[in-house]
Amino acid sequence: MSATNDLSSILTDANWTMYQICTNEPVSAPPVLAPPVMRESQLSNTQFAADFLGSLKWYQMAPQCWTKQNVLEWISYHVEESKFDASMLNMTNCSMDGSVLCQLSRETLVSIFGSLGERMYQSLQEQKAKYGTDDLNTTYDLLNNLFDEFPDFLSVSGGEEFKLLKTVIVPEDKTNDSSVSADRLNMGGALTPSSDNGYESGSTSPDSLDSSHSRGMLSLLNPSSPEYGGSDSDPELSDLQFSFSAKEFIKAEQGELKACKRSRGRPRKLSRGSEYFIEAKKNKHNPRGAHLWEFIRDILIHPEQNNGLMRWEDRREGVFKFLKSEAVAQLWGQKKKNSSMTYEKLSRAMRYYYKREILERVDGRRLVYKFGKNSSGWKLGEVGVGM
DNA sequence: CGGTTTTTTCCTGCTT
DNA sequence: GAAGCAGGAAAAAACC
């Protein structure tokens, strides 16, 4: 079977497993596994050694040593873990062994896997570090500079529909040819050799941008805001290491949650230890994180980058309108690492701002809000950007 | 660790 | 009927 077919199969199964609503089956997480016991006498046995290596999972060895199958399993794991819609992947880009994978730049991974690419890049760095081959400081620096390097992510051709990361797509027919859906949302162009990073994406198609939009969007967070740390929590992700037992727990708990009908109110999200992996850790430099209204404000004050998501209706009065409400919600969700964010939920949070006078009501106009007296950073005098 | 704040989730009813 | 608005309720998560 070809690697492409392998992945297709793996990912189809992954999505199917992930998106079945009422099953109790948690998606597979890397378990705490001891490597197969190997007797000393067996060490000299070449076949045994080969078998032994072949029996190892990706999380049991350095990424440089991964086989194509290991790489596919690694991809599959992240697809499952993040509820990524695998149908978006151009699977021809996924056929590589660990040595090739390790040469891919973060940008390339992002171009292939969209929003998942960052996490995968982090995972790769962590795995390298775990096996003593990486410099965490390098990772830190790379992550720290992440947004600076993506100034053009929002530069999509005018009128282009903003393409969202469809994180939850339940296949109607499990047996469907995945290439059809892959074509529908082809994530990346063909990989082409690059002198610097080994490989880089040759794609400049807007289709390949996808969640990269959000990265661009996040990059425009107002650095002047005292409550914005700029890069959110990313730099500290380099400190993260896999905690397989914790992840196993997460999966089990997610499975349990899916198994029963949601109760009223916010559901329990993830257990302790899970945030260690799933949730970005709090950034010491960004103790409070970004608030929703600041996120909205920062989209508005960078019209050149907001890609038609929102616009000012009355700049002086602070009146603004959502043009692509669900897209903004998805961006917000991506920022908060919540793939199920919707405009409905976002708007509820917006309505809470009325009472605090961060926003004022604008009656009779759909999708229109107005900044209130307790908001700041949007007025022309406060922002050094002419609008 | 407990209290507070902010956000998320769900819901019902209403309006456009 | 769909989409959006309004706001109560409950709870998670972040903060203090």
Side-chain angles (χ1 to χ4, degrees), chain A residues 329-376:
Chain A
Q330 293 251 336
L331 271 183
W332 175 240
Q334 287 186 13
K335 174 160 180 58
K336 300 294 288 290
K337 298 177 172 53
N338 175 357
S339 61
S340 62
M341 179 52 61
T342 62
Y343 176 72
E344 188 181 2
K345 296 172 189 172
L346 182 151
S347 65
R348 180 70 191 95
M350 295 283 279
R351 292 194 292 275
Y352 272 122
Y353 288 142
Y354 293 147
K355 205 165 191 173
R356 296 162 56 200
E357 298 188 281
I358 289 171
L359 294 177
E360 291 177 24
R361 232 179 278 278
V362 177
D363 291 327
R365 302 192 63 195
R366 290 188 164 200
L367 302 173
V368 176
Y369 298 81
K370 179 183 180 186
F371 284 118
K373 63 182 183 186
N374 290 333
S375 63
S376 62

Side-chain angles (χ1 to χ4, degrees), chain A residues 8 311 327:
Chain A
S8 177
R311 70 151 185 255

Side-chain angles (χ1 to χ4, degrees), chain A residues 143-157:
Chain A
L143 289 168
N144 214 16
N145 295 326
L146 176 65
F147 297 141
D148 295 337
E149 297 178 23
F150 292 91
D152 299 319
F153 268 114
L154 290 175
S155 305
V156 179
S157 58

Side-chain angles (χ1 to χ4, degrees), chain A residues 168-185:
Chain A
V168 178
I169 296 177
V170 181
E172 288 177 15
D173 180 357
K174 206 178 161 183
T175 62
N176 277 354
D177 180 357
S178 60
S179 64
V180 175
S181 48
D183 287 341
R184 182 168 51 80
L185 264 172

Side-chain angles (χ1 to χ4, degrees), chain A residues 11-21 23 25-28 74-89 113-117 119-120 164-171 185 210-211 250-259 262 267-270 277-279 330 333-334 337-341 345:
Chain A
L11 297 182
T12 299
D13 290 346
N15 271 352
W16 183 247
T17 303
M18 176 62 72
Y19 303 137
Q20 287 185 91
I21 302 304
T23 63
E25 291 299 319
V27 296
S28 60
W74 174 74
I75 293 169
S76 174
Y77 169 73
H78 285 285
V79 165
E80 293 179 54
E81 185 270 330
S82 66
K83 301 181 182 180
F84 191 79
D85 177 19
S87 67
M88 302 166 70
L89 296 178
F113 299 104
S115 59
L116 190 55
R119 179 168 295 172
M120 294 174 77
L164 299 174
L165 175 64
K166 289 186 167 64
T167 51
V168 178
I169 296 177
V170 181
L185 264 172
D210 196 316
S211 59
I250 303 165
K251 303 295 182 183
E253 190 158 342
Q254 287 176 336
E256 285 170 19
L257 284 171
K258 285 177 186 170
R262 270 190 55 92
R268 179 179 303 278
K269 204 172 178 184
L270 297 167
F277 179 72
I278 300 291
E279 291 289 302
Q330 293 251 336
Q334 287 186 13
K337 298 177 172 53
N338 175 357
S339 61
S340 62
M341 179 52 61
K345 296 172 189 172

Side-chain angles (χ1 to χ4, degrees), chain A residues 286-329:
Chain A
N286 184 24
R288 303 209 60 175
H291 292 162
L292 173 59
W293 71 268
E294 295 172 300
F295 174 79
I296 297 300
R297 174 199 64 193
D298 291 333
I299 292 175
L300 283 161
I301 65 178
H302 292 272
E304 75 283 3
Q305 292 183 67
N306 86 26
N307 193 36
L309 296 175
M310 308 179 71
R311 70 151 185 255
W312 290 108
E313 294 282 286
D314 186 330
R315 183 69 177 81
R316 287 183 187 280
E317 294 297 315
V319 180
F320 60 91
K321 181 175 186 175
F322 284 82
L323 300 178
K324 297 174 181 175
S325 55
E326 287 300 333
V328 175

